[in-house]
Amino acid sequence: MDYAQSTRGELNNSFNDLMVSRGGESGQAHNAGTGATLTGWKDLPMELLLRIMSTVGDDRIFIVASGVCTGWRDALGWGVTKLSLSWCQDHMNDLVISLAHKFTKLQVLSLRQIKPQLEDSGVEAVANYCHDLRELDLSRSFRLSDRSLYALAHGCPHLTRLNISGCSNFSDAALVFLTSQCKNLKCLNLCGCVRAASDRALQAIGCNCGQLQSLNLGWCDSITDKGVTSLASGCPELRAVDLCGCVLITDDSVVALANGCPHLRSLGLYYCQNITDRAMYSLAANSRVKSKGRSGWDAAVKTGNDKDRDKDGLASLNISQCTALTPPAVQAVCDSFPALHTCPERHSLIISGCLSLTSVHCACALHPHRPGRAILPNHAY
């Protein structure tokens, strides 16, 4: 196998480099623990083996090394906690099935694909063996069905981050069951999960996942205010919510998030054309710095304390194509959250496609002597 041979060559090179750096001669070193002389990678203690392989910077080396001998396989099974198979162009499902029982201590696993390869049997193998898994990326796994979500719910209850964006075959019933078992979820990406992301699913997330901090619902166009309101009331720790393309939501959703999620830092409302000024004024009214207004910004400028000024409140807001909004309402939001910027250097208030909002500007335009800030004309960008 060409790759296996090249991998052994990399191991030998890494071994020699490490021995030279430690003062060894002719690629040899003395193991103080056992009194033995290390002449090659087969003689290495397992701790040193893991260190050398980690310097190669290629997860494929762990896979090849796990097949060298039983000792290596067992050591890697206990020592490897992060693995990415996203490089695999073909037969990913077979690879996952062959590896799952070897790497039982995995906590982070990426199975992101360029073209669909992964099937339910692969995810079931992961769920059967990798019970300590915390983070899993299954994005673009178009072939997966509800079997995968049910398997993860039973086998990986400690998940904190799950990316199933683009997995359009999942149903909301399977997602509801997953959230009932994986209650420690903090980051959940459901972008494009048009069947799974429903109001019913959002109600379950709000009920079961109170620690959730980030949720991507992009282009889940069946979601309504009912689901978002339930989410906001049940997940007060939310920092980032993406509702781009959720065309049925109205101001009520934004009002619920503004009132129920005091730590909200990022909100995506791209193409939510039912959003009006009422939503913007609700965000502004719930700003932690609303009582300071411009004077609070001025005080921060004088003290030079950017971190204190920007640490709370919205730092990213996408209202592109929200054509019902007017300049006064959007300006009120911009004034209430000093971390929102329309200037090119720190573009975090996104208003493209809203020609009526070109007069909205951030505070940088009013402080031409502020270091690192450009003097802007009276438009967004």
Side-chain angles (χ1 to χ4, degrees), residues 7-236:
T7 299
R8 289 188 177 94
E10 291 183 24
L11 280 173
N12 284 327
N13 292 335
S14 297
F15 172 83
N16 291 331
D17 291 344
L18 187 60
M19 292 305 103
V20 170
S21 69
R22 285 172 165 255
E25 298 179 359
S26 302
Q28 298 183 358
H30 187 72
N31 187 342
T34 64
T37 299
L38 306 180
T39 59
W41 45 264
K42 289 184 179 179
D43 301 320
L44 294 175
M46 291 302 109
E47 296 82 359
L48 189 55
L49 171 67
L50 289 171
R51 179 182 173 187
I52 292 176
M53 287 193 292
S54 67
T55 65
V56 177
D58 188 342
D59 281 359
R60 287 174 288 186
I61 197 171
F62 293 113
I63 297 171
V64 175
S66 68
V68 170
C69 63
T70 302
W72 280 33
R73 182 196 66 194
D74 294 342
L76 292 170
W78 282 91
V80 176
T81 59
K82 297 181 180 180
L83 189 65
S84 174
L85 301 182
S86 298
W87 48 266
C88 184
Q89 301 296 318
D90 295 292
H91 309 296
M92 177 186 282
N93 197 67
D94 294 336
L95 182 61
V96 171
I97 292 174
S98 69
L99 294 176
H101 71 282
K102 296 181 180 180
F103 297 96
T104 58
K105 297 302 179 181
L106 283 179
Q107 295 185 12
V108 180
L109 177 61
S110 176
L111 300 176
R112 183 179 180 87
Q113 300 144 80
I114 296 176
K115 62 179 181 179
Q117 304 176 62
L118 196 62
E119 299 176 1
D120 291 323
S121 57
V123 178
E124 288 172 337
V126 171
N128 287 336
Y129 291 102
C130 305
H131 301 305
D132 291 332
L133 204 61
R134 263 60 172 180
E135 302 180 17
L136 178 61
D137 187 345
L138 296 174
S139 52
R140 299 177 60 82
S141 298
F142 303 129
R143 295 182 180 180
L144 298 184
S145 72
D146 285 352
R147 280 174 50 191
S148 291
L149 290 190
Y150 285 119
L152 292 173
H154 288 296
C156 305
H158 304 298
L159 282 172
T160 60
R161 300 175 68 93
L162 178 62
N163 185 347
I164 53 174
S165 60
C167 299
S168 54
N169 291 328
F170 293 150
S171 71
D172 61 347
L175 181 58
V176 167
F177 183 76
L178 177 81
T179 63
S180 71
Q181 305 301 308
C182 302
K183 297 187 177 183
N184 295 322
L185 281 171
K186 292 185 177 181
C187 298
L188 182 60
N189 191 335
L190 302 175
C191 182
C193 297
V194 292
R195 293 183 58 229
S198 65
D199 285 344
R200 176 190 175 195
L202 292 189
Q203 289 173 325
I205 292 172
C207 180
N208 297 319
C209 304
Q211 301 178 55
L212 195 67
Q213 296 182 8
S214 175
L215 180 61
N216 189 332
L217 296 168
W219 306 104
C220 298
D221 54 11
S222 66
I223 289 172
T224 70
D225 294 330
K226 180 180 180 181
V228 178
T229 301
S230 297
L231 175 74
S233 63
C235 301

